[in-house]
Amino acid sequence: MKLALFLSSLAACLFVTIIGAVSTRILILAAGITGAATNYNMLSDGSFLGGLSGAFQLASYNFLLFFINVPAAWLALGLSIGRLPYRGIMHRKPYVRWGSIWGAILVGGTTSLFGFLAGFVSGTGALLGGAFIGALAGALCGLLFYAIVKPANQLAEVDVGVF
């Protein structure tokens, strides 16, 4: 179980980085298609889109601070979805839901701290962008943890060892 939590937290760091990089590229592509890329102040003047862009860029550099992110994710996952098999919960939905909630809290909270330095509107964009990335990565980590632990199989096994 502890190995499954550790692997899920490593995957969380990797998923946040990948989703952040893909989201950054999609935002740049959308800005280029709509013609918003000609206005360079749009991403740096404390606007909502500037906060969103900042959250995506911060998330894409998540792997640089893996020595902080992996233990934080390990602790959050261990205190939420790590307890579900002990409580006899064997359905997939609670694992995905709580992984998504804690991912949104951790990533959204971190990116909003930096976004609110530029202003309230930018902080709101950073909060929503980070929460989106965290919720998606957390849901994937919840699925990964569920696939590794397989709580339905563990609860169905009968231990008949005497000593």
Side-chain angles (χ1 to χ4, degrees), residues 8 12 21 25 35 54 62 79 81 83 102 121-123 137 144 147-148 159:
S8 295
R25 296 300 163 206
N62 189 38
L79 293 175
I81 65 173
R83 293 182 173 198
W102 277 104
V121 177
S122 177
L144 179 66
I148 293 172
D159 188 18

Side-chain angles (χ1 to χ4, degrees), residues 17-159:
T17 300
I18 291 170
I19 294 169
V22 169
S23 299
T24 300
R25 296 300 163 206
I26 290 173
L27 183 66
I28 290 172
L29 180 67
I33 289 173
T34 60
T38 58
N39 185 4
Y40 293 110
N41 289 335
M42 190 172 77
L43 297 178
S44 63
D45 64 351
S47 65
F48 181 83
L49 193 57
L52 192 67
S53 173
F56 291 165
Q57 291 173 10
L58 279 172
S60 65
Y61 290 115
N62 189 38
F63 67 93
L64 292 176
L65 296 174
F66 71 92
F67 51 88
I68 296 171
N69 296 332
V70 172
W74 193 1
L75 181 66
L77 291 176
L79 293 175
S80 60
I81 65 173
R83 293 182 173 198
L84 296 180
Y86 294 118
R87 293 181 180 165
I89 298 173
M90 56 185 154
H91 300 290
R92 186 182 314 140
K93 284 184 181 180
Y95 292 91
V96 174
R97 179 178 47 237
W98 282 106
S100 181
I101 288 170
W102 277 104
I105 289 171
L106 290 174
V107 180
T110 305
T111 57
S112 69
L113 287 176
F114 291 103
F116 280 115
L117 293 175
F120 181 76
V121 177
S122 177
T124 306
L127 175 67
L128 291 178
F132 162 73
I133 292 173
L136 191 57
L140 292 172
C141 289
L143 283 173
L144 179 66
F145 180 78
Y146 181 81
I148 293 172
V149 172
K150 297 179 185 172
N153 293 344
Q154 289 184 5
L155 292 172
E157 290 179 6
V158 177
D159 188 18

